[in-house]
Amino acid sequence: MPAEFSEQEEEEEGATAQQRQQQQQSLEDQQQQQLQQSSDDEDDLILEPQEARWSGMETEGMKDARCSLLLQEEVPYDARIKVLPKQRVLVCQDKGFSSINASASGDNSNNNNSMNNAASNQPRRSASSSGEDNFYVDFKGTTILQLEPGMVLGAAAAESNNNHTTGDANGTNGNNASNSSQHKTMPITLTVGGRCMFTAENYQDFRVMMRTKEQSQEMSMAPNGNFDWPDVSSLLLCPCCGRSAQIPAPGRRYEYWMVFYPLLQITLLKGSQMTLGTRTICRLTCLDCMDDLLEGLTLRIQPGGNSNMVNGTSNKRLAFTLPAADVLAEAGSASFLEDAPPRPESHPLVDDMLDAWTLYNLWEHTGAWEALQNDYRLVL
């Protein structure tokens, strides 16, 4: 009897051990499934779009148009050469200056909080652009560098890529419907204006030019346009990192890249009529942020020039691929890649660094600024 009892006990213990092993295996399988489900959930969270970046300076009309002053972090950019063709353009002047005595004088101190001294700090204009009359310019044409937004990376964009043609290698389809449908805000094409020094006088110049309607009243000037747009604070705001440039003290200067940034807003005027307003503004961009934007970007350069190219494409086979940063460095302070307009008499040498206001006026007075606006209008 004792022997028989011992064998039965061993059989029961063996069965119990087998059951425990099966239970342990089942528990491990459940844990593995839970871990896999948790990983899938994390992936879903990563792929879910984050909130759009807003600066807080956008007007209500810009918000309605989903036009942000900040670039969205998930949007990749590509560099391309843009040809601005020859054309006769009308250079429109700020009519508000006609209400200011041209002989007004005063110090150019950095007056951050008061608008009452605007007359004494009016922007410096050449005789050909006194603000009283618009004038025509026979624009000679030039080539410039633009940074085009690409497709947003992620599950939704990947699915869209499977359903739509992705476009050419230069990324020129950044504003197509198949792309923009994946963007949280309006895709922004940046035009590189050049590298410049920012001074206290520059701040005063842009402060008056970029005045709001409320600020126009404080300055005793006519509004600069029919729509309200962000003021000079948007010039100081880097579109990449969102940090504001320091306003230089008199005699000090700081170096930045200047990019041209198109804005759009939707406004309801009298009745229920919806009106679209557009404007391109200057933006100071941190040197490091521009380096990050240009990192890894290349341009296709053809021997003999690119003036015969259309939007950076041509049928010629012989071409060189160069880093976009090197191409800009070769262009100098004003980022005209070919057929550059004559430099201002105050900065005759290519190696001379232009100040921000002089750089903007170089684009405006040569007709390049208005030619760029005409190109933006075609897109919008």
Short mmCIF file of all heavy atoms in Angstrom, two decimals, residues 219-274:
data_model
loop_
_atom_site.label_atom_id
_atom_site.label_comp_id
_atom_site.label_asym_id
_atom_site.label_seq_id
_atom_site.Cartn_x
_atom_site.Cartn_y
_atom_site.Cartn_z
N MET A 219 0.43 107.38 -35.01
CA MET A 219 1.51 108.02 -35.76
C MET A 219 1.02 109.19 -36.61
O MET A 219 1.82 109.84 -37.29
CB MET A 219 2.18 106.99 -36.68
CG MET A 219 2.88 105.85 -35.99
SD MET A 219 3.56 104.69 -37.22
CE MET A 219 4.27 103.45 -36.13
N SER A 220 -0.31 109.42 -36.62
CA SER A 220 -0.90 110.47 -37.46
C SER A 220 -0.57 110.24 -38.93
O SER A 220 -0.18 111.15 -39.67
CB SER A 220 -0.43 111.87 -37.02
OG SER A 220 -0.81 112.12 -35.68
N MET A 221 -0.71 108.96 -39.34
CA MET A 221 -0.43 108.57 -40.71
C MET A 221 -1.61 107.78 -41.25
O MET A 221 -2.39 107.21 -40.49
CB MET A 221 0.84 107.71 -40.78
CG MET A 221 2.10 108.39 -40.31
SD MET A 221 3.52 107.28 -40.33
CE MET A 221 3.66 106.98 -42.08
N ALA A 222 -1.73 107.74 -42.56
CA ALA A 222 -2.74 106.91 -43.19
C ALA A 222 -2.34 105.44 -43.04
O ALA A 222 -1.15 105.11 -42.98
CB ALA A 222 -2.88 107.27 -44.67
N PRO A 223 -3.31 104.53 -42.97
CA PRO A 223 -2.98 103.10 -42.86
C PRO A 223 -2.20 102.63 -44.08
O PRO A 223 -2.37 103.15 -45.19
CB PRO A 223 -4.36 102.42 -42.78
CG PRO A 223 -5.29 103.49 -42.33
CD PRO A 223 -4.76 104.77 -42.90
N ASN A 224 -1.37 101.65 -43.88
CA ASN A 224 -0.57 101.08 -44.97
C ASN A 224 -1.30 99.87 -45.54
O ASN A 224 -0.88 98.72 -45.36
CB ASN A 224 0.82 100.70 -44.47
CG ASN A 224 1.75 100.33 -45.61
OD1 ASN A 224 1.41 100.51 -46.78
ND2 ASN A 224 2.93 99.82 -45.28
N GLY A 225 -2.44 100.08 -46.21
CA GLY A 225 -3.21 99.00 -46.79
C GLY A 225 -4.61 98.93 -46.22
O GLY A 225 -4.95 99.61 -45.25
N ASN A 226 -5.45 98.10 -46.86
CA ASN A 226 -6.84 97.97 -46.46
C ASN A 226 -7.05 96.96 -45.34
O ASN A 226 -8.06 97.00 -44.65
CB ASN A 226 -7.69 97.58 -47.66
CG ASN A 226 -7.66 98.63 -48.77
OD1 ASN A 226 -7.63 99.82 -48.48
ND2 ASN A 226 -7.65 98.19 -50.02
N PHE A 227 -6.11 96.04 -45.16
CA PHE A 227 -6.23 95.00 -44.15
C PHE A 227 -5.28 95.28 -43.00
O PHE A 227 -4.26 95.95 -43.16
CB PHE A 227 -5.90 93.63 -44.75
CG PHE A 227 -6.89 93.15 -45.77
CD1 PHE A 227 -6.75 93.50 -47.10
CD2 PHE A 227 -7.96 92.34 -45.41
CE1 PHE A 227 -7.65 93.07 -48.06
CE2 PHE A 227 -8.86 91.90 -46.35
CZ PHE A 227 -8.71 92.26 -47.68
N ASP A 228 -5.61 94.76 -41.85
CA ASP A 228 -4.69 94.79 -40.72
C ASP A 228 -3.83 93.54 -40.74
O ASP A 228 -4.33 92.42 -40.92
CB ASP A 228 -5.46 94.86 -39.40
CG ASP A 228 -5.15 96.16 -38.64
OD1 ASP A 228 -4.16 96.81 -39.01
OD2 ASP A 228 -5.88 96.49 -37.70
N TRP A 229 -2.53 93.74 -40.56
CA TRP A 229 -1.57 92.64 -40.56
C TRP A 229 -0.72 92.73 -39.30
O TRP A 229 -0.68 93.77 -38.64
CB TRP A 229 -0.68 92.71 -41.80
CG TRP A 229 -1.42 92.58 -43.09
CD1 TRP A 229 -1.86 93.61 -43.89
CD2 TRP A 229 -1.86 91.38 -43.72
NE1 TRP A 229 -2.52 93.12 -44.98
CE2 TRP A 229 -2.54 91.75 -44.91
CE3 TRP A 229 -1.73 90.02 -43.42
CZ2 TRP A 229 -3.09 90.81 -45.79
CZ3 TRP A 229 -2.27 89.08 -44.29
CH2 TRP A 229 -2.94 89.48 -45.46
N PRO A 230 0.00 91.66 -38.95
CA PRO A 230 0.90 91.73 -37.79
C PRO A 230 1.91 92.86 -37.95
O PRO A 230 2.37 93.16 -39.05
CB PRO A 230 1.58 90.35 -37.80
CG PRO A 230 0.62 89.45 -38.49
CD PRO A 230 -0.04 90.30 -39.54
N ASP A 231 2.25 93.49 -36.83
CA ASP A 231 3.15 94.65 -36.88
C ASP A 231 4.61 94.22 -36.90
O ASP A 231 4.94 93.07 -37.21
CB ASP A 231 2.84 95.59 -35.72
CG ASP A 231 3.13 94.97 -34.36
OD1 ASP A 231 3.71 93.87 -34.30
OD2 ASP A 231 2.77 95.58 -33.34
N VAL A 232 5.50 95.13 -36.54
CA VAL A 232 6.93 94.89 -36.64
C VAL A 232 7.40 93.71 -35.78
O VAL A 232 8.46 93.13 -36.03
CB VAL A 232 7.70 96.17 -36.27
CG1 VAL A 232 7.56 96.49 -34.79
CG2 VAL A 232 9.17 96.08 -36.66
N SER A 233 6.59 93.33 -34.80
CA SER A 233 6.97 92.17 -33.98
C SER A 233 7.10 90.90 -34.82
O SER A 233 7.88 90.01 -34.49
CB SER A 233 5.92 91.95 -32.87
OG SER A 233 5.87 93.06 -31.99
N SER A 234 6.35 90.84 -35.92
CA SER A 234 6.44 89.66 -36.79
C SER A 234 7.75 89.65 -37.57
O SER A 234 8.24 88.59 -37.96
CB SER A 234 5.26 89.61 -37.75
OG SER A 234 5.21 90.77 -38.58
N LEU A 235 8.32 90.83 -37.82
CA LEU A 235 9.66 90.90 -38.44
C LEU A 235 10.69 90.29 -37.50
O LEU A 235 11.57 89.52 -37.94
CB LEU A 235 10.03 92.35 -38.74
CG LEU A 235 11.50 92.62 -39.07
CD1 LEU A 235 11.82 92.20 -40.50
CD2 LEU A 235 11.86 94.08 -38.85
N LEU A 236 10.58 90.60 -36.22
CA LEU A 236 11.56 90.14 -35.24
C LEU A 236 11.43 88.66 -34.93
O LEU A 236 12.39 88.03 -34.47
CB LEU A 236 11.41 90.94 -33.95
CG LEU A 236 11.50 92.47 -34.05
CD1 LEU A 236 11.28 93.10 -32.68
CD2 LEU A 236 12.82 92.90 -34.64
N LEU A 237 10.25 88.08 -35.17
CA LEU A 237 9.98 86.70 -34.79
C LEU A 237 10.57 85.73 -35.80
O LEU A 237 10.19 85.73 -36.97
CB LEU A 237 8.46 86.49 -34.69
CG LEU A 237 8.01 85.11 -34.21
CD1 LEU A 237 8.25 84.95 -32.71
CD2 LEU A 237 6.53 84.89 -34.54
N CYS A 238 11.50 84.88 -35.36
CA CYS A 238 12.07 83.87 -36.25
C CYS A 238 10.98 82.86 -36.60
O CYS A 238 10.35 82.29 -35.71
CB CYS A 238 13.24 83.17 -35.57
SG CYS A 238 13.93 81.78 -36.53
N PRO A 239 10.74 82.60 -37.89
CA PRO A 239 9.67 81.68 -38.27
C PRO A 239 9.97 80.23 -37.92
O PRO A 239 9.07 79.40 -37.95
CB PRO A 239 9.57 81.87 -39.78
CG PRO A 239 10.91 82.37 -40.20
CD PRO A 239 11.41 83.20 -39.06
N CYS A 240 11.22 79.93 -37.60
CA CYS A 240 11.60 78.55 -37.29
C CYS A 240 11.49 78.24 -35.80
O CYS A 240 10.71 77.38 -35.39
CB CYS A 240 13.02 78.27 -37.79
SG CYS A 240 13.24 78.52 -39.57
N CYS A 241 12.26 78.95 -34.99
CA CYS A 241 12.32 78.64 -33.56
C CYS A 241 11.30 79.44 -32.75
O CYS A 241 11.01 79.08 -31.60
CB CYS A 241 13.72 78.88 -33.02
SG CYS A 241 14.22 80.63 -33.03
N GLY A 242 10.77 80.52 -33.30
CA GLY A 242 9.78 81.31 -32.59
C GLY A 242 10.37 82.29 -31.59
O GLY A 242 9.62 82.93 -30.84
N ARG A 243 11.70 82.44 -31.57
CA ARG A 243 12.30 83.43 -30.68
C ARG A 243 12.36 84.78 -31.39
O ARG A 243 12.48 84.85 -32.61
CB ARG A 243 13.72 83.00 -30.27
CG ARG A 243 13.75 81.77 -29.37
CD ARG A 243 15.15 81.59 -28.76
NE ARG A 243 16.14 81.29 -29.79
CZ ARG A 243 16.50 80.05 -30.13
NH1 ARG A 243 15.94 79.02 -29.54
NH2 ARG A 243 17.41 79.85 -31.05
N SER A 244 12.28 85.84 -30.62
CA SER A 244 12.28 87.20 -31.19
C SER A 244 13.68 87.78 -31.20
O SER A 244 14.44 87.63 -30.23
CB SER A 244 11.35 88.12 -30.39
OG SER A 244 10.01 87.74 -30.57
N ALA A 245 14.01 88.43 -32.30
CA ALA A 245 15.31 89.08 -32.42
C ALA A 245 15.41 90.23 -31.43
O ALA A 245 14.42 90.89 -31.10
CB ALA A 245 15.50 89.61 -33.84
N GLN A 246 16.61 90.46 -30.96
CA GLN A 246 16.85 91.55 -30.04
C GLN A 246 16.86 92.88 -30.80
O GLN A 246 17.46 92.98 -31.87
CB GLN A 246 18.18 91.35 -29.31
CG GLN A 246 18.50 92.41 -28.28
CD GLN A 246 19.80 92.10 -27.55
OE1 GLN A 246 20.40 91.05 -27.74
NE2 GLN A 246 20.22 93.04 -26.71
N ILE A 247 16.18 93.88 -30.26
CA ILE A 247 16.19 95.20 -30.88
C ILE A 247 17.53 95.86 -30.55
O ILE A 247 17.84 96.07 -29.37
CB ILE A 247 15.03 96.06 -30.37
CG1 ILE A 247 13.69 95.37 -30.69
CG2 ILE A 247 15.07 97.45 -31.00
CD1 ILE A 247 12.50 96.07 -30.08
N PRO A 248 18.32 96.18 -31.55
CA PRO A 248 19.66 96.71 -31.25
C PRO A 248 19.61 98.08 -30.58
O PRO A 248 18.75 98.91 -30.88
CB PRO A 248 20.31 96.81 -32.64
CG PRO A 248 19.46 95.97 -33.54
CD PRO A 248 18.08 96.04 -32.99
N ALA A 249 20.52 98.30 -29.69
CA ALA A 249 20.72 99.63 -29.14
C ALA A 249 21.42 100.48 -30.20
O ALA A 249 22.06 99.95 -31.12
CB ALA A 249 21.57 99.56 -27.87
N PRO A 250 21.30 101.80 -30.14
CA PRO A 250 21.97 102.65 -31.12
C PRO A 250 23.46 102.32 -31.22
O PRO A 250 24.15 102.22 -30.20
CB PRO A 250 21.74 104.07 -30.57
CG PRO A 250 20.47 103.96 -29.79
CD PRO A 250 20.50 102.59 -29.18
N GLY A 251 23.93 102.15 -32.43
CA GLY A 251 25.34 101.83 -32.66
C GLY A 251 25.63 100.33 -32.68
O GLY A 251 26.73 99.93 -33.07
N ARG A 252 24.67 99.51 -32.25
CA ARG A 252 24.87 98.05 -32.27
C ARG A 252 24.19 97.47 -33.50
O ARG A 252 23.25 98.05 -34.05
CB ARG A 252 24.29 97.41 -31.00
CG ARG A 252 24.93 97.87 -29.70
CD ARG A 252 26.36 97.37 -29.60
NE ARG A 252 26.45 95.94 -29.63
CZ ARG A 252 26.32 95.14 -28.57
NH1 ARG A 252 26.11 95.67 -27.38
NH2 ARG A 252 26.44 93.84 -28.69
N ARG A 253 24.62 96.29 -33.91
CA ARG A 253 24.01 95.60 -35.04
C ARG A 253 24.13 94.11 -34.85
O ARG A 253 25.10 93.61 -34.25
CB ARG A 253 24.66 96.03 -36.36
CG ARG A 253 26.19 95.89 -36.40
CD ARG A 253 26.76 96.27 -37.75
NE ARG A 253 26.35 97.59 -38.18
CZ ARG A 253 26.42 98.02 -39.43
NH1 ARG A 253 26.88 97.23 -40.37
NH2 ARG A 253 26.04 99.24 -39.73
N TYR A 254 23.15 93.39 -35.36
CA TYR A 254 23.14 91.93 -35.25
C TYR A 254 22.88 91.32 -36.63
O TYR A 254 22.17 91.89 -37.46
CB TYR A 254 22.05 91.47 -34.27
CG TYR A 254 22.20 92.06 -32.89
CD1 TYR A 254 21.29 93.01 -32.43
CD2 TYR A 254 23.23 91.67 -32.04
CE1 TYR A 254 21.41 93.57 -31.16
CE2 TYR A 254 23.36 92.22 -30.78
CZ TYR A 254 22.46 93.16 -30.33
OH TYR A 254 22.58 93.71 -29.08
N GLU A 255 23.46 90.15 -36.84
CA GLU A 255 23.39 89.53 -38.17
C GLU A 255 22.28 88.48 -38.22
O GLU A 255 22.14 87.65 -37.30
CB GLU A 255 24.74 88.88 -38.51
CG GLU A 255 24.80 88.32 -39.93
CD GLU A 255 26.20 87.80 -40.28
OE1 GLU A 255 27.11 88.00 -39.44
OE2 GLU A 255 26.37 87.20 -41.34
N TYR A 256 21.50 88.51 -39.29
CA TYR A 256 20.41 87.56 -39.51
C TYR A 256 20.30 87.25 -41.00
O TYR A 256 20.83 87.96 -41.84
CB TYR A 256 19.06 88.15 -39.04
CG TYR A 256 18.96 88.38 -37.56
CD1 TYR A 256 19.22 89.65 -37.03
CD2 TYR A 256 18.61 87.37 -36.68
CE1 TYR A 256 19.13 89.89 -35.67
CE2 TYR A 256 18.52 87.60 -35.32
CZ TYR A 256 18.77 88.85 -34.81
OH TYR A 256 18.69 89.08 -33.46
N TRP A 257 19.57 86.19 -41.28
CA TRP A 257 19.07 85.96 -42.64
C TRP A 257 17.71 86.65 -42.75
O TRP A 257 16.94 86.66 -41.79
CB TRP A 257 18.90 84.47 -42.93
CG TRP A 257 20.17 83.76 -43.26
CD1 TRP A 257 20.96 83.02 -42.43
CD2 TRP A 257 20.80 83.71 -44.55
NE1 TRP A 257 22.05 82.52 -43.10
CE2 TRP A 257 21.97 82.92 -44.41
CE3 TRP A 257 20.48 84.24 -45.80
CZ2 TRP A 257 22.82 82.66 -45.47
CZ3 TRP A 257 21.33 83.98 -46.87
CH2 TRP A 257 22.48 83.20 -46.70
N MET A 258 17.43 87.23 -43.89
CA MET A 258 16.10 87.77 -44.15
C MET A 258 15.40 86.88 -45.16
O MET A 258 15.93 86.61 -46.24
CB MET A 258 16.17 89.21 -44.67
CG MET A 258 14.77 89.80 -44.96
SD MET A 258 14.83 91.48 -45.63
CE MET A 258 15.27 92.40 -44.15
N VAL A 259 14.21 86.41 -44.80
CA VAL A 259 13.39 85.64 -45.73
C VAL A 259 12.09 86.40 -45.95
O VAL A 259 11.67 87.20 -45.11
CB VAL A 259 13.10 84.22 -45.21
CG1 VAL A 259 14.39 83.44 -45.02
CG2 VAL A 259 12.30 84.25 -43.90
N PHE A 260 11.48 86.17 -47.10
CA PHE A 260 10.21 86.79 -47.43
C PHE A 260 9.10 85.76 -47.25
O PHE A 260 9.17 84.65 -47.80
CB PHE A 260 10.23 87.34 -48.86
CG PHE A 260 11.36 88.31 -49.10
CD1 PHE A 260 12.07 88.30 -50.29
CD2 PHE A 260 11.72 89.22 -48.12
CE1 PHE A 260 13.10 89.19 -50.52
CE2 PHE A 260 12.76 90.12 -48.33
CZ PHE A 260 13.45 90.11 -49.53
N TYR A 261 8.09 86.13 -46.49
CA TYR A 261 7.11 85.19 -45.96
C TYR A 261 5.71 85.63 -46.41
O TYR A 261 5.23 86.70 -46.02
CB TYR A 261 7.21 85.21 -44.43
CG TYR A 261 6.59 84.08 -43.68
CD1 TYR A 261 7.36 83.04 -43.18
CD2 TYR A 261 5.22 84.06 -43.41
CE1 TYR A 261 6.80 82.01 -42.43
CE2 TYR A 261 4.65 83.03 -42.69
CZ TYR A 261 5.44 82.01 -42.20
OH TYR A 261 4.88 80.99 -41.46
N PRO A 262 5.01 84.84 -47.25
CA PRO A 262 3.68 85.23 -47.73
C PRO A 262 2.61 84.99 -46.67
O PRO A 262 2.62 83.97 -45.98
CB PRO A 262 3.48 84.32 -48.95
CG PRO A 262 4.29 83.10 -48.64
CD PRO A 262 5.48 83.57 -47.84
N LEU A 263 1.69 85.93 -46.56
CA LEU A 263 0.58 85.83 -45.62
C LEU A 263 -0.75 85.83 -46.38
O LEU A 263 -0.86 86.41 -47.47
CB LEU A 263 0.59 87.00 -44.63
CG LEU A 263 1.84 87.20 -43.77
CD1 LEU A 263 1.64 88.40 -42.84
CD2 LEU A 263 2.17 85.95 -42.98
N LEU A 264 -1.73 85.20 -45.78
CA LEU A 264 -3.08 85.14 -46.36
C LEU A 264 -4.08 85.30 -45.23
O LEU A 264 -3.88 84.77 -44.13
CB LEU A 264 -3.30 83.81 -47.08
CG LEU A 264 -4.70 83.55 -47.64
CD1 LEU A 264 -4.97 84.47 -48.83
CD2 LEU A 264 -4.84 82.09 -48.06
N GLN A 265 -5.15 86.05 -45.48
CA GLN A 265 -6.23 86.12 -44.51
C GLN A 265 -7.57 86.21 -45.20
O GLN A 265 -7.67 86.68 -46.34
CB GLN A 265 -6.04 87.27 -43.52
CG GLN A 265 -6.11 88.67 -44.09
CD GLN A 265 -6.09 89.72 -42.97
OE1 GLN A 265 -6.95 89.73 -42.10
NE2 GLN A 265 -5.09 90.60 -43.01
N ILE A 266 -8.58 85.72 -44.52
CA ILE A 266 -9.95 85.75 -45.01
C ILE A 266 -10.73 86.74 -44.16
O ILE A 266 -10.75 86.63 -42.93
CB ILE A 266 -10.61 84.36 -44.93
CG1 ILE A 266 -9.80 83.35 -45.77
CG2 ILE A 266 -12.06 84.42 -45.40
CD1 ILE A 266 -10.30 81.93 -45.64
N THR A 267 -11.34 87.71 -44.79
CA THR A 267 -12.04 88.76 -44.06
C THR A 267 -13.42 88.97 -44.65
O THR A 267 -13.59 88.95 -45.87
CB THR A 267 -11.25 90.09 -44.12
OG1 THR A 267 -9.94 89.89 -43.60
CG2 THR A 267 -11.95 91.17 -43.31
N LEU A 268 -14.40 89.12 -43.78
CA LEU A 268 -15.76 89.45 -44.21
C LEU A 268 -15.92 90.96 -44.17
O LEU A 268 -15.81 91.59 -43.11
CB LEU A 268 -16.79 88.78 -43.30
CG LEU A 268 -16.87 87.25 -43.39
CD1 LEU A 268 -17.88 86.72 -42.38
CD2 LEU A 268 -17.25 86.81 -44.80
N LEU A 269 -16.16 91.56 -45.33
CA LEU A 269 -16.35 93.00 -45.41
C LEU A 269 -17.84 93.32 -45.26
O LEU A 269 -18.59 92.57 -44.64
CB LEU A 269 -15.78 93.52 -46.73
CG LEU A 269 -14.27 93.33 -46.90
CD1 LEU A 269 -13.82 93.89 -48.24
CD2 LEU A 269 -13.51 94.00 -45.77
N LYS A 270 -18.29 94.42 -45.79
CA LYS A 270 -19.68 94.81 -45.66
C LYS A 270 -20.60 93.72 -46.20
O LYS A 270 -20.36 93.16 -47.26
CB LYS A 270 -19.92 96.13 -46.40
CG LYS A 270 -19.16 97.32 -45.81
CD LYS A 270 -19.45 98.58 -46.59
CE LYS A 270 -18.70 99.77 -45.99
NZ LYS A 270 -18.96 101.03 -46.75
N GLY A 271 -21.64 93.46 -45.45
CA GLY A 271 -22.54 92.38 -45.83
C GLY A 271 -21.92 91.04 -45.49
O GLY A 271 -21.33 90.87 -44.43
N SER A 272 -22.01 90.10 -46.41
CA SER A 272 -21.45 88.77 -46.18
C SER A 272 -20.41 88.41 -47.22
O SER A 272 -20.11 87.24 -47.44
CB SER A 272 -22.58 87.72 -46.21
OG SER A 272 -23.26 87.77 -47.46
N GLN A 273 -19.84 89.42 -47.89
CA GLN A 273 -18.85 89.17 -48.92
C GLN A 273 -17.52 88.76 -48.30
O GLN A 273 -16.99 89.45 -47.43
CB GLN A 273 -18.65 90.43 -49.78
CG GLN A 273 -17.63 90.25 -50.90
CD GLN A 273 -17.44 91.52 -51.70
OE1 GLN A 273 -18.02 92.55 -51.37
NE2 GLN A 273 -16.62 91.45 -52.75
N MET A 274 -16.99 87.62 -48.73
CA MET A 274 -15.71 87.13 -48.23
C MET A 274 -14.59 87.64 -49.13
O MET A 274 -14.66 87.51 -50.35
CB MET A 274 -15.69 85.61 -48.19
CG MET A 274 -14.42 85.03 -47.59
SD MET A 274 -14.42 83.23 -47.52
CE MET A 274 -14.26 82.85 -49.27
#
